[in-house]
Amino acid sequence: MSIRLPCRLGLCLVLFLSADLGVAKESPGSTPPRISPDTLRIGLVLSGGGAKGFAHIGVLKTLEELDVPVDIVTGTSMGAVVGGLYAGGYSSTALDSIANAQDWTKVFSDAARRRLRPLDQRVSDERTLISLPLDGSGVRLPTGLIAGQRVSQLFNRLLLPVSHVRDFTALPVAFGAVATDIETGEGVLFTEGYLPRVLRASMAIPSVFAPTKIGNRTYIDGGVARNLPAEDAQALGADLLICSNVGDPLLPADGLSSFVDVLIQAMWYRAAASTQKQLKKCDVTIQPDMQDYGMFSFDSTAAIVERGRRAASSHRADLTALADSVGGREPSPKRPIDRAWRASIREVDVEGVGALLSQRVRALLDIYPPARRTAEELTTAIERVYATDLFSQVTYRLAPHEEGGPAATLVVDAERRTQERLRLGLRYSSAYRASILFNASFRDRLGMGGTSEVDLRLGEALRAGLRYTVPVSFQPRLGMTLEAGARRLPIDLFSNDRRTSSVRATVLEGELQFGGTFLNDYAAAIGVTGEGFAIEENVGDGNRFRDDEGLLLGEAMFYVDTFNRANFATSGTQLLLQSSITNDAVLSSRTFSQHLIEGEGRVSLTPHLTGIGTIVLGRSLGDTLPLYRRYYLGGTVSAGRFSDHQFRHLGYAVQELSGRSVQAFGLGVQVAVPEGFFVGARWNTARVAEQWDWAPGTEGFDSGFGFTVGANTLLGPVEVTLMSPRLGGPYAAGIEVGHDF
């Protein structure tokens, strides 16, 4: 930390005193300068620094405690965010609450809330780890790892009550933010415009956040050009400067441990030189000790705020003297921001898309002028639009309406997402080793508004498929789907708890289906499926049995998914109802029907404890089933991995239990522990048989127990489970890594 009371402050005081005492030496006929302390303006300068910028909140706490008047605030990056919110009407206490209330992992994620996304998109996207847009014949990399959808929404929500203020000097505290013009590399001081978008531009760290377009120019993080905007505070009329600097120092080579470190180091060379120049303009410099924290230490918000408060408090005497130098002037009363304020919307304007998509956006917004909406209501409306996955980003602003007064036009800016994408999924299972999923989707080449998808799964279970979907309506999402593909399924056969032989089932299939999703959480479909299968079994001594047949099935499905998140859900329900029927009188080699109910419910018992219940009821009627259509239970592998006929059952080997009918039930608990881990315990029991048995009782049921440790990681969910048929053991281990496909 350093303090410098420069000669200009002393000069101002001397001139003021000299004028009052009549001792100023002036030329004959000249008018002695008279500088009143009341006219001196104090500027607060806040540097960029990522999460370390929360220390500025602690600095503001001390300034408010000491009644130091702040007339002007300038900021860069996170300094612009804190400064902009403060200038807009938030007190340091309110800022502290906001910073600690956010789940910053979610804020810096572009994922829409799961329950707002249509169910068909959840099922498709939650299988994969990486999704990249295709441009022509190649992959087009994004301009940033984070598009900034949720960041923009956060700024819009917090600043909506002052969104009509285009001149930032007219805010409760005059404000300016610095961003960098991506073409020229020059720092640009913004003192007018749409405040949430300016803040988003100022914090657009290159390659981490996508650049922000304002007018016909594109901007990135202001720290690239000027991380400590002291000269900008002077340009706005500040006479005395308090500078809070949390900018990164240059790190030694052995301190660069990741590509992010290298990126920030490269960006910081110019910023470091600029900061040294800017520090010379400061009257009081506060430099909190940030050695223990980095730009992405968003999990240490409270501690960082406290570091800022302590650093500022160590300058109490100097800050008090600075306040006294302006005549002990009381801080201007700040009108607190009204979080319950409602926008008076007289018109809705959709930009960035054509007429057809514009109509769909308006329908999803569900705002019909004249209307009044709070910031929370507007956020939910925008999220509904973004969750369709048709747009890479959806933002809004309020523009003055021709009626004048509080009337506004809601301007929604939707950036169309390319529908041609390449996705990659990775998974490892202790039972089936590694698997890779390649998925590509393409715009309709037939002019019918549909999409084509190609799936290729490599691993123990092979699958290749082509799906073509033509939409019939968007509300609800109805469509016709034509699908063709092939899959190879591994099946192990057991006798007396021992594996006796192995089977490879190869299935060629084609399907015509009509259905869709309703209210985001519900899906229903009916269709016709043709299957040709070949089953090859090793029966010992090198002999193989082969079965080749064909089926034509009528199928119906109803599916519900209200889980609050894809992995380690803490509330909601998943329910599948499915029926299939075939008859040898209609192009089929066998006559049978199958009916399945599969469900799982989760209830939040406490903020960290979740109760789990599961049920599987499956029944088959008619002729002998092909082996791949029997019901299989066992292991930690879920049903979705291979087919709708394989289910998790702890305490047994994969596919150890099988039959034409199944009755399975389970109970468990899941506990969320610090650092994003989950631990759980489950009990399950099942009865599988060739014939359905309605008789109650425990006879014929096989029970098991399991204890699981899991976490969400960059590779997707990771689960390690110890399981046994008996609580006393012995226990076997099962490992599952990655999304289920």
Side-chain angles (χ1 to χ4, degrees):
M1 306 173 190
S2 65
I3 307 168
R4 189 176 64 84
L5 296 179
C7 61
R8 71 172 183 275
L9 174 55
L11 180 61
C12 289
L13 293 175
V14 169
L15 289 175
F16 170 68
L17 293 173
S18 298
D20 281 347
L21 296 174
V23 297
K25 296 181 180 180
E26 297 293 337
S27 301
S30 65
T31 302
R34 299 182 62 87
I35 302 178
S36 169
D38 292 338
T39 65
L40 294 176
R41 307 181 76 195
I42 294 180
L44 177 63
V45 182
L46 307 178
S47 77
K52 294 184 296 182
F54 290 133
H56 301 320
I57 299 174
V59 172
L60 285 167
K61 282 177 175 285
T62 299
L63 296 182
E64 289 181 350
E65 178 188 342
L66 298 177
D67 290 331
V68 178
V70 175
D71 304 294
I72 295 168
V73 177
T74 57
T76 293
S77 197
M78 185 59 80
V81 174
V82 173
L85 293 173
Y86 181 75
Y90 287 97
S91 66
S92 62
T93 301
L95 290 175
D96 194 6
S97 298
I98 291 170
N100 283 286
Q102 306 306 314
D103 183 339
W104 292 102
T105 301
K106 291 183 178 179
V107 171
F108 294 132
S109 165
D110 289 325
R113 280 191 291 170
R114 190 171 189 269
R115 293 288 304 277
L116 290 177
R117 303 192 65 209
L119 184 54
D120 56 336
Q121 292 180 0
R122 291 183 227 162
V123 172
S124 177
D125 292 347
E126 288 172 358
R127 304 177 304 160
T128 56
L129 180 65
I130 299 172
S131 179
L132 296 171
L134 294 173
D135 188 2
S137 59
V139 173
R140 176 168 56 87
L141 295 177
T143 56
L145 296 175
I146 304 170
Q149 174 66 26
R150 287 191 172 182
V151 173
S152 297
Q153 285 286 78
L154 176 63
F155 295 163
N156 274 317
R157 185 170 70 250
L158 294 175
L159 291 168
L160 184 69
V162 294
S163 60
H164 61 285
V165 179
R166 291 299 187 267
D167 179 1
F168 301 163
T169 63
L171 291 167
V173 176
F175 174 69
V178 173
T180 303
D181 188 312
I182 198 171
E183 290 188 15
T184 66
E186 296 299 319
V188 177
L189 173 63
F190 283 90
T191 59
E192 60 181 23
Y194 188 64
L195 184 55
R197 181 162 293 184
V198 168
L199 299 186
R200 170 67 181 83
S202 183
M203 63 167 290
I205 301 173
S207 299
V208 177
F209 288 97
T212 300
K213 189 172 183 179
I214 299 178
N216 59 357
R217 309 296 292 178
T218 301
Y219 298 91
I220 56 175
D221 195 293
V224 174
R226 197 159 53 253
N227 198 52
L228 186 68
E231 67 182 56
D232 303 283
Q234 290 178 336
L236 290 180
D239 302 295
L240 305 171
L241 300 183
I242 302 170
C243 297
S244 178
N245 180 34
V246 295
D248 283 312
L250 295 175
L251 298 175
D254 59 3
L256 304 175
S257 59
S258 70
F259 81 93
V260 175
D261 291 336
V262 174
L263 172 66
I264 294 172
Q265 181 90 337
M267 186 181 76
W268 187 251
Y269 294 126
R270 179 181 173 188
S274 169
T275 297
Q276 293 306 311
K277 177 182 176 182
Q278 298 297 314
L279 283 171
K280 296 177 182 178
K281 302 177 182 297
C282 301
D283 298 294
V284 177
T285 299
I286 301 169
Q287 297 194 118
D289 180 8
M290 291 286 109
Q291 287 187 345
D292 299 330
Y293 306 104
M295 291 188 67
F296 300 99
S297 299
F298 288 95
D299 57 346
S300 302
T301 300
I304 293 173
V305 171
E306 177 60 19
R307 288 282 180 99
R309 189 198 64 78
R310 273 190 271 164
S313 294
S314 68
H315 291 286
R316 295 177 69 92
D318 306 290
L319 292 171
T320 301
L322 196 66
D324 291 341
S325 72
V326 295
R329 171 163 50 88
E330 291 292 328
S332 300
K334 285 181 60 180
R335 182 168 56 86
I337 200 161
D338 181 8
R339 297 291 297 274
W341 185 82
R342 289 177 174 269
S344 180
I345 300 171
R346 292 295 183 269
E347 187 177 353
V348 176
D349 186 14
V350 180
E351 297 181 349
V353 296
L356 183 61
L357 275 180
S358 176
Q359 291 179 3
R360 188 173 182 193
V361 169
R362 292 170 186 272
L364 289 167
L365 288 172
D366 194 28
I367 298 174
Y368 301 98
R372 295 175 62 84
R373 294 291 186 273
T374 65
E376 296 292 342
E377 291 168 339
L378 284 174
T379 295
T380 300
I382 293 296
E383 280 189 314
R384 282 198 301 268
V385 178
Y386 178 71
T388 62
D389 207 35
L390 292 173
F391 310 101
S392 58
Q393 195 168 8
V394 182
T395 59
Y396 72 89
R397 66 185 188 275
L398 294 179
H401 191 263
E402 59 184 12
E403 288 185 11
T409 298
L410 175 64
V411 182
V412 178
D413 188 2
E415 183 178 336
R416 181 71 188 270
R417 183 194 300 274
T418 175
Q419 297 302 294
E420 298 190 345
R421 306 189 70 79
L422 176 65
R423 301 177 179 90
L424 174 67
L426 301 173
R427 183 172 174 83
Y428 174 83
S429 167
S430 55
Y432 292 107
R433 308 306 177 193
S435 299
I436 301 176
L437 174 67
F438 297 96
N439 172 273
S441 58
F442 304 92
R443 288 194 302 264
D444 185 12
R445 304 297 182 183
L446 303 178
M448 300 175 65
T451 58
S452 300
E453 278 194 76
V454 178
D455 256 4
L456 177 62
R457 182 177 63 192
L458 303 178
E460 189 74 13
L462 296 173
R463 183 179 71 210
L466 173 65
R467 182 184 305 107
Y468 178 68
T469 302
V470 180
V472 175
S473 75
F474 291 110
Q475 286 294 105
R477 294 170 59 91
L478 299 176
M480 298 282 294
T481 300
L482 180 64
E483 187 171 357
R487 51 194 171 115
R488 189 188 70 184
L489 311 175
I491 301 175
D492 291 334
L493 304 181
F494 288 78
S495 177
N496 296 324
D497 301 335
R498 299 186 61 183
R499 179 178 176 273
T500 57
S501 62
S502 62
V503 169
R504 288 291 182 268
T506 302
V507 183
L508 302 177
E509 54 192 351
E511 181 178 17
L512 177 63
Q513 186 183 85
F514 176 80
T517 60
F518 309 84
L519 303 175
N520 285 354
D521 294 326
Y522 304 85
I526 58 173
V528 178
T529 300
E531 293 182 351
F533 63 90
I535 297 177
E536 200 170 291
E537 180 180 358
N538 181 3
V539 295
D541 298 326
N543 297 318
R544 292 183 177 274
F545 170 78
R546 187 177 178 87
D547 184 10
D548 299 279
E549 295 183 33
L551 302 171
L552 182 66
L553 302 108
E555 297 190 306
M557 179 273 294
F558 179 73
Y559 182 60
V560 179
D561 182 351
T562 64
F563 275 3
N564 62 333
R565 54 190 182 213
N567 307 305
F568 308 108
T570 58
S571 64
T573 301
Q574 284 184 339
L575 176 66
L576 172 67
L577 308 178
Q578 191 173 50
S579 290
S580 302
I581 185 168
T582 183
N583 194 289
D584 59 10
V586 186
L587 301 175
S588 191
S589 60
R590 307 188 188 190
T591 298
F592 64 83
S593 64
Q594 289 186 285
H595 310 282
L596 173 69
I597 300 175
E598 180 189 6
E600 179 172 338
R602 297 188 174 223
V603 178
S604 181
L605 303 175
T606 72
H608 300 285
L609 179 64
T610 301
I612 302 172
T614 61
I615 183 171
V616 178
L617 301 175
R619 188 180 186 188
S620 304
L621 302 171
D623 295 346
T624 302
L625 298 174
L627 278 176
Y628 68 92
R629 280 194 162 269
R630 290 170 63 85
Y631 297 116
Y632 293 92
L633 280 75
T636 59
V637 181
S638 62
R641 182 163 173 77
F642 295 115
S643 69
D644 294 332
H645 296 81
Q646 183 165 314
F647 309 96
R648 175 180 304 192
H649 195 68
L650 302 182
Y652 297 83
V654 174
Q655 300 174 340
E656 182 175 346
L657 306 177
S658 70
R660 285 166 49 91
S661 68
V662 58
Q663 301 165 345
F665 310 92
L667 294 173
V669 292
Q670 172 185 282
V671 180
V673 295
E675 306 301 329
F677 284 89
F678 299 86
V679 296
R682 290 203 189 197
W683 165 85
N684 48 217
T685 188
R687 175 166 58 186
V688 292
E690 296 306 301
Q691 299 296 325
W692 181 271
D693 186 358
W694 290 99
T698 59
E699 184 178 352
F701 278 86
D702 296 292
S703 300
F705 304 87
F707 302 93
T708 300
V709 176
N712 282 310
T713 72
L714 293 176
L715 295 176
V718 174
E719 292 183 274
V720 179
T721 302
L722 296 178
M723 57 184 178
S724 173
R726 293 169 294 278
L727 190 59
Y731 283 85
I735 301 174
E736 302 292 326
V737 180
H739 300 285
D740 195 9
F741 54 77

